[in-house]
Amino acid sequence: MSIKKPELRAVDSPNQPITQDAHEAADDARVGWEHFQQLMEEDKRVEPRDWMPEQYRKTLVRQVSQHAHSEIIGMQPEGNWISRAPSLKRKSVLMAKVQDEAGHGLYLYSAAETLGTSRDEMYQQLYTGKAKYSSIFNYPARTWADVGAIGWLVDGAAITNQVPLCRASYGPYGRAMVRVCKEESFHQRQGWEILYTLSHGTEEQKQMAQDAVDRTYGPALQMFGPPDGDSPNSQQSMAWNIKRFSNDDLRQRFVDMIVPQAEALGLTLPDPELKWNEERGHYDYADLDWDEFFSVVKGNGPLNHQRLAHYRAARDNGAWVREAAAAYAAKQADATRGSALLSA
Ligand code: 3HC
């Protein structure tokens, strides 16, 4: 889809003569800017046809494509457990869940495409390791209990972050989020149910659930991004009604939500400093290991290399399927054109 991107200036350089076209483009841009400002002030949606500042477009492509990549890479830790899930029912539920994540990636790539960035370009950025994706997926899922912890904590963190994104100012992103959140709620419950079953099973099973929660808790809290003071994008994204809450506010909301849930599960969250603070009306929690977080984001987490290598192999091995599908679609289009000519 091509989207008009007028500049706010009338000419490209001060020495260039000001043409009628340049005047008209500048007028269009001024009107577009005023319209955009009004949409922001009235908290209304920006749609692909609307004029938008280049930085707004870039911020959205950055966030939405990273989000899409996270969904795609996020299939790996759980996908790895489909064949080892402990029953046919567990296998089919997990398979449906992993398939949902692929769907989320596709909705999000589609939303990013409406901003003028092609899907191939985004795939290429992930393939070459240029693109970011959520730090959490660079950790291994060691046991079946990790599948439960991913559902409860990782999908739980994702929902906490993404429910406010349903109101993101960019229409296609907000609308994609509505569907994603509905499916994520189901994912969180399946994770909860796995952990509940294990924590009410044998001592060994309960310990397995506890170990998985111990491993996942810190990285799940880091999914909300760096602390507000170290978050270069938050302020502008909030001013543009893309993000509705800061990273720390969402993290706090998540902690407040999971403490009673952990009690109901009969499991302990691995933070001795977790304590209800009457004055703040929130749980206090210990600072997270931010050196580890930044190291994982830079590509040095336990599985960054493996995750990308697996993605590249899947993409390379699937090339023939994409080529065959494209050849089939071209053949179908030729046949449709041929029969239209004959009947004309
Ligand atoms: N992992 C990797 N990179 C991260 C990160 C994380 N957990 N948190 C922040 N970063 C990166 C940012 O992308 C940014 O890098 P960039 O400037 O090169 O793009 C940098 O660290 C600084 O962070 P900021 O706080 O300034 O960045 P944002 O304002 O974009 O906030 C965010 C980060 C909260 C993750 C926000 O982008 C966001 O809400 N994104 C949409 C949700 C999303 O991407 N979720 C992925 C979770 S996984 C998922 O949903 C799959 C499901 O199945 C569980």
Side-chain angles (χ1 to χ4, degrees):
M1 180 182 298
S2 87
I3 297 157
K4 205 173 167 198
K5 291 191 266 181
E7 297 290 335
L8 274 171
R9 59 193 174 201
V11 288
D12 287 326
S13 89
N15 301 327
Q16 222 172 303
I18 301 174
T19 62
Q20 181 67 22
D21 281 357
H23 269 305
E24 280 173 17
D27 279 346
D28 280 356
R30 208 162 293 121
V31 172
W33 173 259
E34 281 163 12
H35 180 59
F36 178 81
Q37 286 296 96
Q38 196 182 348
L39 292 176
M40 291 297 117
E41 276 158 29
E42 293 174 4
D43 201 356
K44 287 192 177 150
R45 284 227 144 118
V46 179
E47 295 297 340
R49 62 176 178 270
D50 293 326
W51 185 90
M52 60 189 86
E54 202 45 39
Q55 261 323 102
Y56 176 83
R57 182 189 303 278
K58 279 193 183 144
T59 287
L60 276 164
V61 171
R62 180 186 63 78
Q63 177 165 329
V64 180
S65 64
Q66 283 178 13
H67 192 166
H69 300 323
S70 304
E71 302 280 356
I72 297 301
I73 297 288
M75 288 192 284
Q76 291 188 33
E78 290 172 295
N80 205 18
W81 274 95
I82 292 173
S83 61
R84 293 179 285 162
S87 69
L88 185 58
K89 186 175 162 205
R90 297 275 188 211
K91 282 182 178 52
S92 60
V93 171
L94 186 59
M95 190 144 56
K97 186 200 167 195
V98 172
Q99 215 167 3
D100 283 351
E101 307 296 0
H104 298 173
L106 300 185
Y107 311 151
L108 288 161
Y109 283 128
S110 298
E113 275 182 314
T114 66
L115 291 154
T117 302
S118 78
R119 200 173 285 218
D120 274 342
E121 208 177 317
M122 291 182 273
Y123 288 160
Q124 198 55 22
Q125 286 166 353
L126 182 57
Y127 190 98
T128 54
K130 219 177 121 196
K132 286 197 173 92
Y133 59 84
S134 186
S135 48
I136 187 74
F137 301 119
N138 293 306
Y139 292 87
R142 293 192 192 285
T143 69
W144 170 248
D146 286 74
V147 175
I150 291 172
W152 175 45
L153 292 172
V154 175
D155 293 307
I159 297 169
T160 308
N161 177 257
Q162 290 165 22
V163 165
L165 290 175
C166 296
R167 293 190 290 118
S169 57
Y170 189 58
Y173 188 33
R175 288 189 287 273
M177 281 298 101
V178 173
R179 181 150 179 197
V180 168
C181 285
K182 283 186 184 160
E183 293 175 355
E184 293 294 1
S185 307
F186 156 75
H187 297 171
Q188 193 200 17
R189 279 172 215 178
Q190 69 88 41
W192 162 274
E193 201 268 334
I194 290 172
L195 286 183
Y196 190 88
T197 306
L198 290 173
S199 71
H200 291 78
T202 63
E203 266 313 303
E204 206 183 358
Q205 286 170 329
K206 182 166 183 184
Q207 189 57 48
M208 194 163 84
Q210 183 61 58
D211 290 345
V213 168
D214 290 351
R215 280 193 288 275
T216 314
Y217 171 80
L221 258 58
Q222 290 175 332
M223 286 170 68
F224 294 96
D228 291 351
D230 293 322
S231 163
N233 302 300
S234 280
Q235 222 178 354
Q236 184 59 73
S237 291
M238 285 166 71
W240 277 330
N241 303 333
I242 298 170
K243 284 170 79 161
R244 296 290 177 160
F245 299 98
S246 77
N247 298 355
D248 285 334
D249 283 351
L250 288 172
R251 194 170 4 253
Q252 180 71 63
R253 189 179 281 199
F254 181 60
V255 171
D256 292 346
M257 184 181 84
I258 59 173
V259 172
Q261 291 182 355
E263 279 167 20
L265 278 172
L267 298 172
T268 314
L269 293 173
D271 177 1
E273 291 178 38
L274 256 184
K275 204 164 135 250
W276 178 252
N277 182 324
E278 197 63 52
E279 211 175 303
R280 291 198 315 118
H282 292 290
Y283 282 93
D284 288 336
Y285 60 96
D287 201 13
L288 301 163
D289 185 344
W290 293 111
D291 289 342
E292 177 183 311
F293 169 77
F294 286 113
S295 166
V296 175
V297 172
K298 281 192 193 123
N300 303 318
L303 290 183
N304 293 59
H305 293 289
Q306 188 177 313
R307 296 294 188 229
L308 262 191
H310 187 78
Y311 173 75
R312 288 185 188 123
R315 187 131 187 92
D316 293 345
N317 294 337
W320 70 271
V321 180
R322 293 191 296 280
E323 281 159 22
Y328 180 73
K331 210 165 141 188
Q332 291 292 99
D334 277 352
T336 313
R337 249 194 315 273
S339 56
L341 278 177
L342 279 178
S343 62

